[in-house]
Amino acid sequence: MEPYKKEFIEFMVESEVLKFGEFTLKSGRKSPFFMNASVYATGSQLKRLGEYYARAIHESFGDDFDILFGPSYKGIPLSVITAIAYSELYHKEVRYCSNRKEIKDHGDVGILLGSRLKDGDRVIIVEDVTTSGKSIEEVYPILKSQANVEIKGLMVSLNRLEKGMGEQKSAPEELKEKYGLEYSAIVTMQDVIECLYNRPFEGRIYIDDKVKAALDQYYEKYGV
């Protein structure tokens, strides 16, 4: 595992973004872990988070894109901080864009925030986590309706490694099949388990035998 990935896992834990317990997800699944990027709130946390996203995007996609698109609401700050970090780390100006939940009919009209889209733009979508792929189902038609853009891929912070909406394939496999969308993540849950299982971090074991058993049970049902 690359050092920055181990650092990112520890960063999620120390920021209380990644938690272990019993959680009901948007999909209705009962999960033994939960990741909530909205917990990142301080300037230093957001700066680091943008840098992790930028490094992962550069590693997966290089400089072959023009727009970072963040689905509202959580994706809005993610696209902004990643665009800033990418400029600082790789000296490439990329634009950010996000969608509104409702179309604005006065002033800055339309459904988009940030940069307008134009034909030929290459887009990378940034999200915190994709469990079922539902959010992509919502924003993909929005992007395609605004301009003839090329959607290069989706970058998330954590790949949950579980079945998508069809309950047969993973969400990344479904997105690839339906949209031709490449999927990448800063880390996977396999990385998280490898890093934290029975290994103390800041004086605490976050994944002990009990949590590991709950994770194994969850992945027996929903894992891919």
Side-chain angles (χ1 to χ4, degrees):
M1 185 188 310
E2 294 93 328
Y4 86 90
K5 294 191 174 188
K6 179 177 181 294
E7 290 174 11
F8 180 67
I9 293 167
E10 294 174 347
F11 174 55
M12 284 194 293
V13 171
E14 72 184 20
S15 301
E16 299 185 345
V17 166
L18 179 62
K19 295 185 175 183
F20 300 92
E22 295 182 6
F23 307 93
T24 300
L25 305 179
K26 185 178 181 181
S27 62
R29 296 173 183 173
K30 306 291 185 181
S31 173
F33 68 97
F34 184 64
M35 202 222 78
N36 181 11
S38 63
V39 176
Y40 296 116
T42 70
S44 61
Q45 286 176 333
L46 292 169
K47 183 177 186 296
R48 287 181 66 184
L49 181 61
E51 290 170 352
Y52 287 124
Y53 267 95
R55 292 180 67 175
I57 287 171
H58 190 264
E59 184 177 279
S60 297
F61 300 102
D63 288 334
D64 191 25
F65 68 100
D66 309 292
I67 296 272
L68 289 168
F69 181 86
S72 62
Y73 290 104
K74 291 182 182 177
I76 297 174
L78 292 179
S79 61
V80 172
I81 62 175
T82 305
I84 294 169
Y86 208 91
S87 174
E88 291 181 346
L89 291 176
Y90 302 109
H91 310 293
K92 175 182 170 66
E93 291 288 13
V94 295
R95 292 134 57 206
Y96 104 90
C97 181
S98 297
N99 64 299
R100 295 182 170 98
K101 289 294 187 181
E102 300 85 21
I103 297 175
K104 189 177 179 183
D105 60 4
H106 61 280
D108 182 21
V109 300
I111 198 167
L112 298 181
L113 295 168
S115 175
R116 297 300 179 189
L117 299 177
K118 59 180 186 291
D119 291 349
D121 276 342
R122 301 162 298 172
V123 179
I124 292 176
I125 302 171
V126 289
E127 279 207 298
D128 57 347
V129 64
T130 295
T131 303
S132 64
K134 184 177 180 181
S135 61
I136 303 303
E137 297 271 355
E138 295 171 354
V139 302
Y140 191 94
I142 293 174
L143 286 166
K144 285 297 189 178
S145 71
Q146 297 299 305
N148 184 22
V149 298
E150 179 185 1
I151 303 178
K152 301 289 294 185
L154 167 66
M155 176 61 69
V156 301
S157 57
L158 177 66
N159 183 347
R160 292 182 60 99
L161 298 175
E162 61 189 79
K163 296 173 184 175
M165 295 175 70
E167 296 291 338
Q168 297 297 322
K169 301 176 181 179
S170 69
E173 288 173 328
E174 289 179 351
L175 293 171
K176 174 72 173 178
E177 186 176 275
K178 187 167 185 178
Y179 301 114
L181 191 63
E182 297 294 335
Y183 178 102
S184 192
I186 303 174
V187 295
T188 69
M189 271 307 294
Q190 183 176 348
D191 295 327
V192 171
I193 294 169
E194 177 186 334
C195 181
L196 296 179
Y197 178 45
N198 279 339
R199 294 183 179 180
F201 173 63
E202 294 186 338
R204 177 181 170 186
I205 301 291
Y206 285 88
I207 302 181
D208 57 15
D209 290 338
K210 181 180 179 180
V211 174
K212 179 63 161 58
L215 288 164
D216 290 343
Q217 184 178 12
Y218 184 77
Y219 280 111
E220 282 179 15
K221 186 173 183 179
Y222 296 117
V224 290

